[in-house]
Amino acid sequence: MKCRILVVLLIAVIAFSSVGCKESEEKKVEIFSTYVTEKILHDVPVSEEKKQPARFSFSGAKGERETAQIILTPNYNIGSYSISASDLSGENGVFSAENFTIYHQKYIPVTTGSDGLDSMLGNYPDALLPYEKAVEYGENHIDSGENQAIVIEVAIPSDQSAGVYSGAFSLIVDGEEYLIGASVEVYDVFLPETVSANSMFLIGREELIYGELDNSLEMYKKYCDTLLEYRITPYLLPVSQGDYTGYAAAVKILGK
């Protein structure tokens, strides 16, 4: 009788342990990087040839901006994730964490195809939401099977010493920390702040109402300011008709 009870208890312990291990094995999150120009859909499996080891790699000239992305694909519902940049170190000093800006990738559903392109339907990467806003809005979660991109932009200071800086960023997924390698290679080339290229980007202020629900002069100015950050000239300056003083001030800003 004692032997039978012992066997039953042993089976129960083994079964409980197996269930525990199975649950632990089932909760996985795949993390990989890919070129920032690669548009990874939110709801479509990613082919293996597009996947690279998970890390943020940047390279650029002094005064330049560059971006990199990693993708998280869990097989369970992630309640929340957090990520933070850290200082990177190199032979010529430190590359400050303040030079990094983190974004949570947003997606837009494409539900109707044209010309027989139904195979192209899905949720496409679109707007980049500042990570702090994603936390504020409670959007820093990922459902099972979804591909969620985290995009980081680096602004290389014009006085940064040339060289390679490396370290790691902390990614925490439901309390579990992952250290993601990060590196910035700064070329010994200076990109002047003054825009000399004949570049122009056409923005229709009136049409902003369709995406922003706001086509005010203030909203248009935000778009123009963002273009200037990326060294692109807006087609029209953000000033009211007849505001000559404002026009002169805008031209002065454009010429810097």
Side-chain angles (χ1 to χ4, degrees):
M1 184 65 177
K2 290 182 179 179
C3 291
R4 183 178 298 176
I5 294 174
L6 182 61
V7 170
V8 171
L9 289 175
L10 183 60
I11 292 174
V13 169
I14 294 175
F16 179 79
S17 299
S18 299
V19 170
C21 292
K22 185 177 180 181
E23 289 180 352
S24 177
E25 291 175 357
E26 285 179 349
K27 285 192 173 184
K28 294 181 180 179
V29 54
E30 183 181 14
I31 306 172
F32 62 91
S33 65
T34 188
Y35 295 115
V36 75
T37 52
E38 197 72 63
K39 303 303 181 185
I40 302 298
L41 274 65
H42 198 40
D43 53 349
V44 176
V46 182
S47 58
E48 292 299 320
E49 60 266 20
K50 294 182 179 180
K51 299 177 182 179
Q52 300 176 21
R55 66 177 292 104
F56 291 104
S57 298
F58 309 89
S59 59
K62 302 174 184 180
E64 192 174 7
R65 292 173 180 261
E66 290 293 339
T67 53
Q69 69 173 342
I70 62 170
I71 311 295
L72 279 63
T73 309
N75 64 354
Y76 68 100
N77 294 332
I78 292 177
S80 67
Y81 79 84
S82 64
I83 184 168
S84 58
S86 303
D87 291 347
L88 306 182
S89 59
E91 292 183 356
N92 295 324
V94 174
F95 193 92
S96 175
E98 296 180 353
N99 299 322
F100 298 101
T101 304
I102 303 174
Y103 296 95
H104 172 87
Q105 179 71 69
K106 298 279 288 182
Y107 299 85
I108 184 170
V110 177
T111 58
T112 304
S114 59
D115 299 328
L117 296 178
D118 287 345
S119 61
M120 305 295 288
L121 303 182
N123 290 296
Y124 282 78
D126 190 62
L128 291 174
L129 181 66
Y131 170 71
E132 295 79 6
K133 288 296 181 182
V135 174
E136 180 182 339
Y137 300 156
E139 295 188 18
N140 59 325
H141 58 82
I142 311 171
D143 290 339
S144 176
E146 292 181 343
N147 303 311
Q148 177 61 56
I150 300 173
V151 178
I152 296 185
E153 179 186 64
V154 62
I156 302 175
S158 58
D159 59 351
Q160 186 74 44
S161 297
V164 177
Y165 303 83
S166 59
F169 295 164
S170 175
L171 170 67
I172 299 178
V173 179
D174 283 344
E176 183 174 355
E177 183 179 35
Y178 300 84
L179 293 178
I180 308 299
S183 64
V184 177
E185 181 178 3
V186 181
Y187 302 141
D188 195 12
V189 177
F190 175 72
L191 194 65
E193 294 183 2
T194 301
V195 179
S196 56
N198 294 322
S199 61
M200 183 190 71
F201 194 91
L202 176 61
I203 302 176
R205 175 183 159 189
E206 297 300 322
E207 283 70 26
L208 292 181
I209 194 69
Y210 300 115
E212 299 288 354
L213 302 181
D214 180 0
N215 61 357
S216 64
L217 186 62
E218 290 73 18
M219 177 58 70
Y220 179 71
K221 185 178 184 302
K222 290 181 180 179
Y223 271 74
C224 292
D225 289 344
T226 300
L227 287 177
L228 292 177
E229 287 183 13
Y230 291 90
R231 305 169 60 79
I232 301 174
T233 303
Y235 179 63
L236 295 174
L237 296 179
V239 293
S240 301
Q241 186 174 2
D243 182 7
Y244 302 113
T245 302
Y247 185 86
V251 170
K252 185 176 180 180
I253 292 173
L254 188 65
K256 288 184 177 180

